[in-house]
Each structure stands twice: as C-alpha cells, then as structure tokens.
C-alpha cells in the first residue's frame, strides 16, 4: 500500500554539467560534513562542544565516452585544469515536488580510467572537490 504516494527515484534526477544534461551518468554522490568535538575540563564528562570546519566531497560515475567528450573540451585535454564550475542537480517528475541542489565551485580531482576483461560497459568514477552545497 502506498502511504505517502510517489517518492524520488533515479528517474527523477537530472544532473547538468557545463549547461548540458548528462545522459551518460549512472551515479552521483555528495555530502557535507562538519568536525565536532566534545571539550573536556574537570572530571570525565564534556563541558562544551567545539565546531570546526565544514567539508564538502563528492563524485560522479559516468560512461567513458562521456568522460572522453569532457576531456576533448577541457583546457589542454586535462579535466583537472577545468576552472571551478557549478553542478545543478534537479529532483522532479510526475507526483513529486521539484527541488534543486547546486554543487558550488566544483573541480575534478582525477582523470581516471578503469577497464577489465569481460566488461560490457566502461564506467569511470570522477572524484570532485566541492566548495559548497546549496539545497
């Protein structure tokens, strides 16, 4: 029985890279973390909590031919030299509210390739450094 109706699924996500919706993407992940520590004084119980820096990480998994197209357009054919760019991630479709996250000031950290005997498709995971996440 459907309790809450339709939920978000992979078919409801659109990822845009350099103004073009990526059709060769099979996975995206991103997260924000913040360092938090208990501070101790007298005794063995925390007396306060300290908050440190926020960190943003993520990656995209794409088909190798999609990566090759990005490489062809990159400065010196090196994706690690592409200046910072934003990645809009839109969630929407029939029966779900449309929302958008924007990954801010992204850059590729690696130019990967992996292939194994018997592969019927070649996928690459491209790690990203992210400057912020706008929800």
């Amino acid at each position: 029985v459907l309790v809450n109706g339709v939920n978000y699924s992979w078919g409801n996500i659109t990822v845009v890279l350099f103004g073009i919706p990526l059709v060769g993407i099979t996975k995206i992940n991103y997260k924000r973390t913040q360092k938090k520590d208990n501070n101790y004084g007298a005794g063995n119980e925390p007396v306060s909590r300290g908050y440190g820096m926020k960190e943003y990480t993520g990656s995209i998994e794409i088909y190798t031919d999609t990566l090759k197209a990005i490489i062809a357009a990159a400065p010196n054919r090196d994706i690690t030299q592409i200046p910072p760019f934003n990645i809009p991630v839109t969630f929407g479709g029939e029966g779900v509210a449309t929302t958008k996250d924007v990954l801010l000031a992204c850059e590729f950290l690696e130019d990967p390739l992996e292939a194994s005997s018997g592969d019927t498709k070649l996928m690459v995971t491209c790690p990203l450094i992210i400057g912020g996440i706008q929800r």
Side-chain angles (χ1 to χ4, degrees), residues 58-103:
S59 66
I60 58 173
E61 182 179 84
I62 56 179
Y63 285 100
T64 299
D65 62 331
T66 301
L67 176 63
K68 295 282 187 192
I70 296 169
I71 290 169
N76 300 316
R77 298 181 55 85
D78 181 353
I79 65 171
T80 65
Q81 292 184 17
I82 297 172
F85 53 91
N86 293 344
I87 301 176
V89 181
T90 304
F91 303 81
E94 191 171 328
V96 294
T98 300
T99 63
K100 180 166 64 170
D101 293 347
V102 181
L103 311 183

Side-chain angles (χ1 to χ4, degrees), residues 8-132:
Y8 294 112
S9 63
W10 181 249
N12 300 113
I13 296 176
T14 302
V15 178
V16 176
L17 195 60
F18 311 118
I20 301 168
L22 279 180
V23 294
I25 186 169
T26 58
K27 184 180 200 179
I28 184 166
N29 75 69
Y30 49 92
K31 67 181 176 180
R32 171 183 27 229
T33 57
Q34 183 175 20
K35 182 173 176 60
K36 298 179 183 184
D37 288 317
N38 284 331
N39 299 319
Y40 294 88
N44 58 3
E45 295 292 329
V47 296
S48 65
R49 182 164 291 147
Y51 298 91
M53 290 190 252
K54 291 182 179 178
E55 188 174 326
Y56 304 90
T57 57
S59 66
I60 58 173
E61 182 179 84
I62 56 179
Y63 285 100
T64 299
D65 62 331
T66 301
L67 176 63
K68 295 282 187 192
I70 296 169
I71 290 169
N76 300 316
R77 298 181 55 85
D78 181 353
I79 65 171
T80 65
Q81 292 184 17
I82 297 172
F85 53 91
N86 293 344
I87 301 176
V89 181
T90 304
F91 303 81
E94 191 171 328
V96 294
T98 300
T99 63
K100 180 166 64 170
D101 293 347
V102 181
L103 311 183
L104 303 169
C106 298
E107 292 184 63
F108 290 107
L109 293 173
E110 297 176 6
D111 182 358
L113 177 65
E114 185 175 327
S116 299
S117 175
D119 285 350
T120 59
K121 60 184 177 184
L122 295 182
M123 308 297 301
V124 290
T125 299
C126 300
L128 301 168
I129 185 169
I130 301 170

